[in-house]
Amino acid sequence: QVQLAESGGGLVQPGGSLRLSCVRSAITSIRYVNMGWYRQAPGTQREPVASISADGTVHYADFVKGRFTISRDNAQNSVYLQMDNLEPEDTAVYYCNGLGDAMLNRYWGQGTQVTVSS
């Protein structure tokens, strides 16, 4: 069983920054897991935002390149998403998950709400 706990969301003005955190609790260490951040805006499907593999390789959706940075701390069983220069279009609930688990649509946490508004 895997439990995911996201935090760090909030209300921020356009151009502002937030840092999201995700703690993964499981029998297997996060160090072996390719992890990702996803988001879901009202009325839309959940979409991938960024990913970081077990060896540290990162990938970003085109709409966040140059603004968001994904990182991981295996000792803390955590992944992070630094979000800078936020735009109103970034408003959504943000989730983390293992890439494989995300494809199987399992183990989703509650997510953390990010609202970008003046």
Side-chain angles (χ1 to χ4, degrees):
Q1 188 72 4
V2 175
Q3 291 184 321
L4 298 159
E6 301 92 348
S7 62
L11 173 63
V12 63
Q13 293 186 340
S17 297
L18 285 173
R19 185 175 187 252
L20 306 185
S21 299
C22 166
V23 179
R24 180 181 183 272
S25 302
I27 293 176
T28 55
S29 171
I30 197 173
R31 68 178 65 251
Y32 305 113
V33 183
N34 301 321
M35 293 294 296
W37 281 97
Y38 303 80
R39 71 185 188 185
Q40 187 171 20
T44 70
Q45 290 190 332
R46 189 152 38 201
E47 62 182 353
V49 174
S51 66
I52 183 166
S53 66
D55 68 1
T57 303
V58 300
H59 292 283
Y60 297 97
D62 286 344
F63 54 78
V64 302
K65 281 183 179 178
R67 300 189 298 124
F68 292 7
T69 304
I70 189 171
S71 60
R72 63 191 298 154
D73 183 340
N74 294 332
Q76 299 297 321
N77 285 311
S78 296
V79 292
Y80 307 97
L81 188 67
Q82 176 67 41
M83 306 189 296
D84 298 317
N85 195 20
L86 283 159
E87 303 169 352
E89 293 74 20
D90 296 317
T91 295
V93 179
Y94 284 72
Y95 303 86
C96 70
N97 208 343
L99 299 189
D101 292 328
M103 290 182 63
L104 294 171
N105 198 30
R106 64 182 185 184
Y107 302 147
W108 294 103
Q110 293 299 308
T112 186
Q113 174 72 49
V114 172
T115 303
V116 185
S117 175
S118 55

